[in-house]
Amino acid sequence: MKERAGYLPGISEDEVAWQTVTFTRNEEVLEVAVPVLAQEQMQQLAEQIKNNSRQVLKTLAIGEIVEILDKAVAVFLDRHSPYRRKAEQLLPIVTGYDPEVIRHGLTSFLKTFRKPQLLRFLAEDLGNISLLDDFQPRAKGGFAKAFGPDLIVHVWAGNVPALPLWSLLAGMLVKSGNIGKVASAEPLFAGWFANVLAEVEPRLAGCLAIVWWKGGDEEQERSLLGQGDVVVGYGSNTSLASLRSRIPVTTRFLPYGHKMSFGLVTKDSLDARKAWQTAHAAALDVIRYDQQGCYSPHFFYVQRGGAVSPGEFAKYLAHEMECFARRYPRRALSLEEMAAQAAWRQQEELTLFSTPTKEILGDDARAWTVVYEEGAQITPSCLNRTVKVLAVDQWEEILPQLIPYRPLLQTVGVASAPRELWQIAELLGRAGVTRITSLGKMTSPEAGWHHDGRFNLLDLINMVDIESAAEEYAERLAPYVD
Amino acid sequence: MQQQEIINAILAFISDQEGSAEVFDQLALQIFSYQYKNNLPYQSLCLQKGKTPRTVKKWQDIPAVTINAFKEVTLSCGDPRQAARVFMTSGTTQGVQGKHYHPSLAVYDQSMIHNFKRHFMKDTEKIRMGILFPTAAEMPNSSLAHYLALAVQEFGTQESHYLVDSQGANIDRFMMELAQAEHTGEPYGLLGASFSFVHLLDELARRGKQFSLPKGSRILDTGGFKNRSREIALEEFYHRLEFFLGVPRTACINMYGMTELSTQFYDEGNDILPSVKSGPHWSRTRVVNPLTGAEVPQGERGVLVHCDLANFNSVTTILTEDLGVKVAGGFLLLGRAQGAAAKGCSLAVEEFIESGRGRVK
Amino acid sequence: MVKFQGKVVLVTGASRGIGAAIARAFAAEGAFVIINYLQNELAAARTVAACQELGGDAWAIKGDVMSEGAVTEMIQQVLVEVGKIDVLVNNAFKPYEFDPDKRKLAWQLTWQDFQAQMDGALRSTHGLCQAVLPQMKKRSQGSIINIVSNLVARPIIPYHDYTTAKSAVIGYSRNLAAELGPFGIRVNCVAPGLVYPTESSRHTKEEVKEMIIAQTPLRKIASPEDVAGPVLFLASEWSGFMTGQTLYVDGGFIMK
């Protein structure tokens, strides 16, 4: 099979050089042609999108844009649409994830971008969504309007399918032109979405582009990054640092680094009836995208004192992982990834001698690893369905462990009774955690979430104020002034 | 068995030219029992895998230990404080070096000598050597320094020299040595770290100097380039060795060894790349799927596992990070299985470590 | 490829009879079999030798399954020596005289009769299950097979105390299966009919055997080897999705 990645308005296919990235899953082979633009083409594209952003996007009302995005999202939610079918067919090959995981993941993800959710997203950040259309009165006097930039450049990373949609849609909502650079690990979805958008509303066809270049291609990066008003970057701290070094100081840079998330299970959720359900939810968070997401758990803190001990919880979790290994098999690992897994597991096995309370569950033949530990320091998982269960007595114990890693923390999936939820939230907030959700929902952030604790839209826009002084001054100059 | 009995049994097996497969298997299992009993971190790993002297029936069943383990735990049957020598790895994780304890170097030395003679010296008794590596006195914890010292001691003529010191390569000395060899027509052996050869070749290129070493001269490089010199393709490397030193590629031997083992692997020259490497009769190499430990079908890529009976004090069986393919007569080395790049946006271990040191900006 | 290569199987009461036949069958499929026995060291050694000859491996370990302490110690020893237990077959039972003519009638039984059989069947099974559970849970796998009797379904001769205790083992097994399913551990029972020749059936009258044969569609009495097949099946991945079941091995005498 062959598929073209990218979306390049105003440039015909034969004007572009194409490079092939090959993906295989089981017996299926997919060759994805990714565009390699010449520098002038990239410049031209950026100019064109900036123009269209000014002349088209900025003249649309936010209500219209929401309608358009809703229609485009509906295309991908419709399981019979050719795009959705293509996504369901090809994304498993590209990412290696189980088709069912992708199917469920896409639906739950796309649902957060329907009209009501988009409106909530806007309301969350802006309060009054008309701020994007007109100057709105401010309580303290004067008026203000939110202006989106002419061009946002997105540098996406990772293989969690469709993830670029978060920042792309945020860019569209603030009436900005967008150029997104897809990652080689998942180069397709963003391009499909751009195509659908152009079909749904041809006026938007020239307002966004999806491009590719080989990671670390400094020339390409520098030339495009210099064009953007805002750059949104995803990736490891190393790649973000190198990206930042190529961005002019006047350009706003919004880096989204790799994160560490974890689960937290209180003793209330560990009675004879609920322990299994808790383990089931925890396992789901682990197996979805094989822990590749920033919101995926690396470990679970489990409280002692319930009917089911943390050690037993680990064993429930282990069997859930085994069941999911059959229902939604793990992505095929590269030899390098396998070697990393083996090394991680052995490190645990060899320390069994010095830490006799540690338990390593399952055996070498399993497509998962669960390790149970007492009094251990937190360590990151080597991913691909490898988790630790750490026994805890009091939640206060975990704070000192977390604080050194404050900049890395993101999501915590919690299973607790209401009263404790608030106490835990306070504690986690202090440690630097930015999202608290339920166990089982870690990989599905709600619409309007504060990604890494930030404002998705507010960080993109500029507020333009008309101060009351200007208003008063203008009054004096009115032709009808008495 | 006691340590001395184990040592004697291995020494006897190394000297036994026949080296039958049955004896290998038997000895491997005896050493496994010994290590299982006396190397407690290893025992816990074996127990976790359900592999014990009662259930391990052939050398292939012996659990392999990743080379990283030498950094994490003490892998020694004897009291590590009593070790005659400790070899340390050059690579570190979080500043920790891997340590390989040798209660006695008798086995290591015999292993080296037998194998070196067969693959490098061949019919030659002694050869004048130039060593591109610091001395064992300068680097007491380097297994390679010891190896090269042993090579000079056992097989080098009186006139053999070290051409590198702690300050780096002694270029002038090197030029003199080669000129001398050219002049006398006496075969010359140049041995050392691959990266040192790269530096020297660069220097020769810069000076526009070329040598043609006498017939019978030979080269042994080892260790790869390890970020110590610019990475160059093997093809270019051996081409330049031949071009600048006049030693045919068939006489350029690459030794593949590691601190965590007590036996080395050699090829029979590097005119065809990648060259076929093989070990002596007291070692075995398998190409496995690192997760299951199962051997991959011949011709398929996998990770190398070495079972080295000379590793009597730590663990015989090592899971490397080297990718390879099994071929007739040995295996091909295809590079390192290191640095599995993060695929998603979840945190990788390296970044976490950096963060703990407060280096996230 | 043999089916149980690399697997460790513990069979209680395995020196002779059904237990020995089960042990040999596992060994023939490459298993490492732990032969538990109470007294007959010689017989146990013979079974070990037979197992080794069949291509598997075996190791005899003495231990009274009725004693909690002995059981714990035995399992500890096994784990130190072989690292794991994949399959537990609870086959040992308290000696019982199966004599249709001289059996106790319902109104002659005392509670002590019942208690003795409950101890022999249920208590020993419980003790062994408890002892192997921690490591089976840790490895997220395991298969436990409890040997009961087809008399529980049709007491053709009402050995009240014996059959009641075996019925209890079935109830116990089902509950255990329900609790351990979420840990990936399976618990099943095998219920043979009259098995000949064994120590217990040596004195069974020909008349009784004929009566049973006449009512058995396959027209014979089970041999110890006949029992081994279903046990191996329940221990293997072939029955990976079966738990809490009782397989009747009696030539069709019971159909349910």
Side-chain angles (χ1 to χ4, degrees):
Chain A
M1 276 179 288
K2 287 186 190 334
E3 180 69 16
R4 262 184 213 281
Y7 173 74
L8 308 167
I11 303 179
S12 72
E13 283 181 359
D14 45 15
E15 291 171 322
V16 181
W18 296 87
Q19 199 170 315
T20 305
V21 187
T22 306
F23 299 92
T24 47
R25 181 176 189 275
N26 301 336
E27 301 298 293
E28 292 178 293
V29 180
L30 172 66
E31 290 182 348
V32 176
V34 287
V36 185
L37 295 185
Q39 267 205 50
E40 311 79 64
Q41 287 175 311
M42 196 70 94
Q43 293 292 335
Q44 201 187 319
L45 200 59
E47 282 305 327
Q48 178 201 335
I49 285 168
K50 280 193 209 178
N51 273 328
N52 284 321
S53 156
R54 286 184 209 118
Q55 283 158 21
V56 182
L57 267 170
K58 298 265 189 314
T59 64
L60 293 174
I62 184 62
E64 289 176 87
I65 295 179
V66 168
E67 288 288 346
I68 295 165
L69 297 180
D70 183 56
K71 273 189 207 154
V73 167
V75 169
F76 282 97
L77 278 170
D78 172 10
R79 294 209 48 204
H80 300 291
S81 84
Y83 279 102
R84 170 73 188 216
R85 277 153 67 172
K86 190 148 76 170
E88 286 189 16
Q89 189 197 0
L90 301 187
L91 289 179
I93 307 175
V94 169
T95 61
Y97 301 124
D98 184 78
E100 286 296 284
V101 170
I102 295 215
R103 192 165 68 76
H104 294 305
L106 274 184
T107 301
S108 104
F109 181 68
L110 288 160
K111 271 159 63 181
T112 58
F113 299 110
R114 291 169 297 169
K115 183 176 171 186
Q117 286 71 21
L118 289 174
L119 290 173
R120 193 170 299 143
F121 196 179
L122 286 161
E124 179 63 40
D125 269 21
L126 295 167
N128 174 4
I129 74 166
S130 303
L131 272 171
L132 285 162
D133 288 342
D134 290 305
F135 283 97
Q136 300 290 312
R138 303 176 71 190
K140 76 164 189 65
F143 285 76
K145 181 180 175 184
F147 283 83
D150 286 343
L151 178 62
I152 301 174
V153 175
H154 310 256
V155 179
W156 294 309
N159 69 343
V160 176
L163 212 56
L165 225 49
W166 273 114
S167 71
L168 181 62
L169 291 192
M172 300 299 292
L173 285 175
V174 299
K175 304 184 185 180
S176 169
N178 293 278
I179 298 184
K181 182 245 173 197
V182 290
S184 305
E186 199 283 90
L188 289 175
F189 192 86
W192 292 333
F193 190 83
N195 273 295
V196 167
L197 212 51
E199 283 171 25
V200 167
E201 177 49 72
R203 280 183 296 170
L204 293 193
C207 296
L208 75 169
I210 306 299
V211 300
W212 179 88
W213 62 76
K214 196 167 161 43
D217 183 336
E218 288 189 30
E219 268 180 36
Q220 284 282 25
E221 282 184 5
R222 219 180 280 277
S223 79
L224 182 60
L225 297 177
Q227 294 271 344
D229 303 299
V230 175
V231 175
V232 185
Y234 294 82
S236 68
N237 284 320
T238 319
S239 53
L240 290 176
S242 100
L243 207 54
R244 170 180 277 167
S245 71
R246 285 175 209 139
I247 295 171
V249 69
T250 47
T251 302
R252 193 182 297 169
F253 180 45
L254 304 174
Y256 290 99
H258 289 172
K259 294 294 170 190
M260 184 162 71
S261 298
F262 59 93
L264 196 152
V265 176
T266 66
K267 60 177 189 285
D268 296 331
S269 60
L270 293 176
D271 64 21
R273 185 172 62 86
K274 293 192 281 286
W276 171 79
Q277 291 162 349
T278 310
H280 184 75
L284 269 172
D285 285 334
V286 176
I287 62 111
R288 288 196 178 121
Y289 306 130
D290 299 343
Q291 292 169 287
Q292 300 289 333
C294 49
Y295 35 50
S296 300
H298 282 243
F299 53 87
F300 295 95
Y301 282 122
V302 180
Q303 193 177 26
R304 290 195 184 94
V308 168
S309 70
E312 260 138 7
F313 174 80
K315 283 149 202 162
Y316 277 116
L317 179 62
H319 185 61
E320 284 304 302
M321 301 283 279
E322 178 64 18
C323 295
F324 281 125
R326 286 162 201 234
R327 190 165 156 201
Y328 306 128
R330 180 171 70 180
R331 193 169 57 86
L333 302 185
S334 70
L335 211 44
E336 285 80 0
E337 286 172 309
M338 283 194 239
Q341 291 272 319
W344 193 92
R345 201 182 154 99
Q346 276 226 344
Q347 185 175 332
E348 297 299 325
E349 286 169 337
L350 283 156
T351 48
L352 279 174
F353 173 65
S354 51
T355 45
T357 52
K358 179 188 279 194
E359 288 189 319
I360 300 162
L361 309 180
D363 55 41
D364 295 351
R366 310 302 179 103
W368 51 267
T369 304
V370 176
V371 173
Y372 168 72
E373 267 190 279
E374 295 176 3
Q377 289 302 307
I378 56 171
T379 50
S381 150
C382 72
L383 311 181
N384 299 317
R385 308 195 180 188
T386 301
V387 279
K388 278 193 179 182
V389 169
L390 307 171
V392 171
D393 286 310
Q394 300 297 326
W395 295 120
E396 287 67 30
E397 290 169 32
I398 69 173
L399 199 58
Q401 293 200 351
L402 295 176
I403 288 206
Y405 305 106
R406 174 185 290 275
L408 300 177
L409 303 178
Q410 192 205 62
T411 295
V412 178
V414 176
S416 82
R419 210 176 109 87
E420 225 181 344
L421 175 63
W422 303 104
Q423 293 165 350
I424 291 169
E426 174 66 29
L427 190 82
L428 294 174
R430 263 187 267 154
V433 167
T434 57
R435 174 175 168 246
I436 292 160
T437 186
S438 83
L439 220 53
K441 290 280 178 205
M442 291 183 70
T443 63
S444 312
E446 283 174 9
W449 74 311
H450 293 117
H451 186 180
D452 292 349
R454 296 300 311 169
F455 297 88
N456 298 287
L457 301 178
L458 285 184
D459 280 348
L460 297 175
I461 56 172
N462 277 335
M463 292 305 288
V464 175
D465 294 343
I466 302 176
E467 294 195 344
S468 46
E471 218 182 320
E472 283 157 22
Y473 201 97
E475 286 294 346
R476 279 190 269 151
L477 305 178
Y480 42 78
V481 73
D482 288 330
Chain B
M1 280 213 276
Q2 294 304 304
Q3 178 177 298
Q4 196 54 50
E5 291 174 76
I6 293 276
I7 291 177
N8 294 343
I10 298 164
L11 287 175
F13 187 63
I14 288 176
S15 313
D16 177 6
Q17 294 301 323
E18 300 298 314
S20 81
E22 288 75 29
V23 182
F24 178 89
D25 220 6
Q26 200 186 342
L27 192 51
L29 295 179
Q30 279 168 355
I31 302 173
F32 172 65
S33 287
Y34 171 75
Q35 292 176 343
Y36 179 86
K37 197 168 139 220
N38 296 296
N39 182 344
L40 297 180
Y42 183 52
Q43 185 184 72
S44 55
L45 173 131
C46 293
L47 266 176
Q48 169 71 27
K49 295 182 185 296
K51 299 277 180 79
T52 70
R54 267 196 195 270
T55 59
V56 168
K57 303 286 184 193
K58 49 187 196 296
W59 70 267
Q60 290 95 332
D61 294 341
I62 298 173
V65 174
T66 58
I67 55 167
N68 277 325
F70 286 80
K71 295 176 191 151
E72 306 290 339
V73 291
T74 300
L75 291 171
S76 178
C77 291
D79 182 348
R81 288 166 305 184
Q82 307 274 311
R85 201 68 166 268
V86 184
F87 290 142
M88 298 194 196
T89 57
S90 49
T92 69
T93 303
Q94 290 179 270
V96 181
Q97 284 179 289
K99 292 191 181 70
H100 194 182
Y101 299 92
H102 294 271
S104 140
L105 283 175
V107 174
Y108 185 99
D109 290 355
Q110 279 311 302
S111 164
M112 183 276 171
I113 291 166
H114 273 82
N115 209 10
F116 185 84
K117 174 154 182 51
R118 175 150 169 237
H119 289 279
F120 189 73
M121 297 307 292
K122 300 184 174 125
D123 297 330
T124 313
E125 283 298 316
K126 296 254 177 186
I127 193 166
R128 178 164 177 164
M129 290 183 185
I131 305 296
L132 296 173
F133 202 74
T135 64
E138 283 170 304
M139 296 183 75
N141 294 118
S142 160
S143 57
L144 181 56
H146 175 73
Y147 169 97
L148 292 167
L150 202 57
V152 174
Q153 180 195 313
E154 296 289 322
F155 303 103
T157 63
Q158 289 290 319
E159 299 80 31
S160 297
H161 275 289
Y162 276 81
L163 306 177
V164 166
D165 53 33
S166 48
Q167 313 306 315
N170 187 337
I171 300 289
D172 298 328
R173 180 82 219 201
F174 173 75
M175 301 294 244
M176 256 171 60
E177 280 286 306
L178 296 195
Q180 165 86 9
E182 247 183 0
H183 179 72
T184 60
E186 180 195 340
Y188 193 78
L190 205 49
L191 298 85
S194 311
F195 61 82
S196 300
F197 280 99
V198 175
H199 289 313
L200 285 171
L201 290 172
D202 286 347
E203 188 59 27
L204 290 178
R206 203 177 61 78
R207 297 188 185 191
K209 185 81 182 119
Q210 220 178 330
F211 290 97
S212 178
L213 290 175
K215 193 168 174 325
S217 294
R218 59 201 75 179
I219 286 172
L220 181 138
D221 80 287
T222 186
F225 307 115
K226 283 187 193 161
N227 307 324
R228 297 288 298 273
S229 63
R230 64 196 176 83
E231 287 275 337
I232 70 170
L234 287 182
E235 183 58 45
E236 187 194 344
F237 180 69
Y238 289 108
H239 170 76
R240 294 182 65 190
L241 275 183
E242 184 171 33
F243 180 80
F244 283 108
L245 300 174
V247 177
R249 288 172 59 162
T250 47
C252 294
I253 310 291
N254 174 263
M255 183 274 274
Y256 158 64
M258 54 190 76
T259 306
E260 297 84 354
L261 290 176
S262 304
T263 294
Q264 298 78 34
F265 302 87
Y266 297 93
D267 53 40
E268 305 290 329
N270 279 281
D271 45 337
I272 297 164
L273 290 170
S275 60
V276 179
K277 299 269 192 299
S278 65
H281 67 259
W282 59 92
S283 76
R284 295 282 187 277
T285 297
R286 303 166 70 215
V287 181
V288 304
N289 170 321
L291 276 188
T292 63
E295 230 160 298
V296 301
Q298 178 129 2
E300 245 174 60
R301 260 167 29 116
V303 173
L304 299 182
V305 168
H306 304 298
C307 176
D308 173 16
L309 300 190
N311 250 18
F312 69 92
N313 185 55
S314 51
V315 287
T316 54
T317 309
I318 303 284
L319 175 64
T320 68
E321 289 177 340
D322 299 318
L323 296 181
V325 173
K326 189 124 196 147
V327 293
F331 57 90
L332 304 180
L333 202 56
L334 303 176
R336 302 268 281 182
Q338 239 185 351
K343 292 236 178 227
C345 47
S346 195
L347 188 77
V349 180
E350 295 73 25
E351 264 188 281
F352 177 85
I353 292 166
E354 289 205 352
S355 164
R357 293 193 189 135
R359 279 165 57 184
V360 172
K361 291 178 197 92
Chain C
M1 183 68 184
V2 284
K3 192 69 192 162
F4 289 96
Q5 190 73 50
K7 300 282 182 195
V8 177
V9 181
L10 168 60
V11 185
T12 65
S15 61
R16 295 170 299 162
I18 298 174
I22 292 170
R24 286 193 302 268
F26 273 113
E29 292 293 331
F32 192 109
V33 192
I34 316 286
I35 314 281
N36 157 264
Y37 67 100
L38 181 59
Q39 278 161 345
N40 200 333
E41 197 173 332
L42 203 67
R46 265 203 303 273
T47 308
V48 168
C51 286
Q52 285 165 343
E53 206 159 295
L54 286 162
D57 199 351
W59 169 39
I61 183 164
K62 188 174 166 145
D64 182 359
V65 294
M66 301 271 286
S67 151
E68 218 172 287
V71 165
T72 312
E73 198 181 313
M74 175 171 77
I75 299 298
Q76 277 312 317
Q77 204 183 334
V78 171
L79 291 180
V80 167
E81 293 279 333
V82 294
K84 61 170 185 174
I85 296 171
D86 295 290
V87 179
L88 165 66
V89 183
N90 280 308
N91 167 70
F93 69 104
K94 196 175 171 60
Y96 189 82
E97 202 177 330
F98 297 95
D99 190 331
D101 304 345
K102 293 191 190 136
R103 69 177 178 86
K104 281 192 183 174
L105 299 167
W107 45 92
Q108 295 168 337
L109 283 151
T110 64
W111 177 248
Q112 276 67 36
D113 295 318
F114 282 102
Q115 188 67 56
Q117 282 303 309
M118 290 297 263
D119 283 351
L122 186 57
R123 195 167 161 194
S124 65
T125 299
H126 172 67
L128 271 147
C129 289
Q130 290 291 16
V132 298
L133 267 192
Q135 72 92 30
M136 282 190 175
K137 274 160 81 184
K138 198 174 105 180
R139 297 179 55 242
S140 204
Q141 67 175 60
S143 174
I144 297 173
I145 297 140
N146 298 325
I147 306 296
V148 293
S149 161
N150 76 339
L151 291 170
V152 298
R154 185 178 165 195
I156 182 167
I157 299 162
Y159 299 115
H160 301 266
D161 40 1
Y162 172 81
T163 306
T164 301
K166 288 294 194 188
S167 306
V169 171
I170 293 182
Y172 172 81
S173 302
R174 288 179 180 157
N175 281 282
L176 202 57
E179 190 85 292
L180 300 184
F183 296 104
I185 302 167
R186 299 183 296 113
V187 186
N188 292 286
C189 296
V190 169
L194 180 66
V195 178
Y196 186 87
T198 67
E199 195 60 28
S200 309
S201 61
R202 212 148 35 120
H203 303 295
T204 307
K205 299 271 186 323
E206 284 307 302
E207 196 185 333
V208 175
K209 285 189 216 155
E210 285 305 325
M211 173 185 74
I212 292 173
I213 288 170
Q215 296 186 47
T216 298
L218 290 173
R219 290 292 181 265
K220 69 180 185 77
I221 283 178
S223 67
E225 286 70 29
D226 288 328
V227 181
V231 172
L232 263 63
F233 165 71
L234 288 174
S236 75
E237 290 150 27
W238 285 319
S239 63
F241 202 46
M242 285 176 70
T243 193
Q245 304 301 313
T246 302
L247 294 184
Y248 290 90
V249 188
D250 59 4
F253 184 84
I254 302 286
M255 294 189 188
K256 64 183 282 185

